[in-house]
Amino acid sequence: MGGHLTKKGTAMRYKITGKHIDIGEALQTHVKTELVEIVGKYAERPTDAQVIFSKSGHQFVTEVIVHLSTGLSSQAKGQENDIYASFDSAGAKMEKQLRRYKRRLKNHHNERAEPVELSHASSYILAAESGVDDQEPDSLQPIIIAEIETKIPSLSVGEAVMQMELSSSPVVVFKNEGNSGVNVVYRRDDGNIGWIDPTRTG
């Protein structure tokens, strides 16, 4: 993992990997140069970036995750026939996300004295139902095929919505800083954002 200075003079660390793909020096230099330009314009003190290249059929897929000093992160994915174009596509999506929240990201950096607190949790992958569509399953007990360690951030509802937008995620699970309860924000089919808070009843 190497460091690279952003426009604000802070070093951003990089981890650039390829899944069964050789990542040459020219591509790594392109990634670092472009990310410094993109992130440096909109984000306050990015800490590290993870870039993963892979293939899906005949196309290249690039996943980019940039972590900010406050604990939030931005995430984007690109898929193109050319590996450089796949990264550029992901970079363009990330720039759009960061540009949209430029003012709020700056305010978030200035107003949050401490980084977002993260709580450890376990995430499970359950096996999909198999067999004929109209066949009743033998048991309602799900089959766990993988367990993954994850982290739940402590956020305000507004921060959770911003994190969902920055990561292009359909849902964000978080601890509500207002009441310490586990909350969920998610994208609704009608285009609005849903918020679930079990502590708010009546």
Side-chain angles (χ1 to χ4, degrees):
M1 181 180 287
H4 214 70
L5 289 179
T6 67
K7 285 186 174 182
K8 295 180 174 62
T10 57
M12 183 163 66
R13 300 181 299 273
Y14 293 85
K15 184 177 181 182
I16 305 172
T17 58
K19 294 181 178 178
H20 310 296
I21 299 176
D22 290 329
I23 305 299
E25 288 295 328
L27 178 58
Q28 293 188 50
T29 299
H30 178 73
V31 167
K32 294 175 182 179
T33 301
E34 292 299 314
L35 274 184
V36 163
E37 183 71 21
I38 292 169
V39 179
K41 287 189 291 187
Y42 305 108
E44 296 286 335
R45 291 215 307 264
T47 59
D48 60 84
Q50 183 176 9
V51 182
I52 304 171
F53 292 96
S54 60
K55 289 203 73 174
S56 177
H58 297 293
Q59 291 193 314
F60 292 94
V61 179
T62 304
E63 297 176 75
V64 181
I65 304 172
V66 173
H67 297 282
L68 308 179
S69 61
T70 55
L72 297 182
S73 61
S74 179
Q75 184 171 344
K77 179 185 288 188
Q79 185 168 335
E80 299 288 345
N81 292 326
D82 176 76
I83 193 168
Y84 281 83
S86 72
F87 168 77
D88 292 342
S89 174
K93 293 175 183 177
M94 179 167 288
E95 181 170 13
K96 183 178 180 181
Q97 294 168 355
L98 294 173
R99 182 171 60 245
R100 180 180 181 185
Y101 284 94
K102 179 180 180 179
R103 179 181 57 81
R104 275 188 266 182
L105 282 171
K106 184 175 182 179
N107 291 341
H108 186 250
H109 172 80
N110 293 333
E111 294 170 1
R112 179 172 278 278
E114 298 293 333
V116 171
E117 181 182 342
L118 300 173
S119 301
H120 292 275
S122 294
S123 175
Y124 300 93
I125 299 176
L126 306 180
E129 294 288 348
S130 59
V132 183
D133 291 342
D134 59 357
Q135 181 177 338
E136 183 178 354
D138 295 332
S139 171
L140 294 179
Q141 183 66 33
I143 300 174
I144 298 174
I145 59 177
E147 179 180 355
I148 306 168
E149 182 179 334
T150 188
K151 295 178 181 178
I152 298 178
S154 294
L155 303 168
S156 67
V157 177
E159 288 174 331
V161 172
M162 182 165 63
Q163 177 60 80
M164 184 173 65
E165 297 290 348
L166 288 173
S167 60
S168 300
S169 299
V171 61
V172 167
V173 179
F174 65 103
K175 286 181 67 175
N176 190 323
E177 285 189 329
N179 55 36
S180 298
V182 175
N183 283 204
V184 175
V185 292
Y186 62 96
R187 301 181 192 277
R188 291 170 48 93
D189 292 338
D190 60 9
N192 293 313
I193 294 173
W195 169 30
I196 299 175
D197 183 356
T199 65
R200 297 171 68 93
T201 58

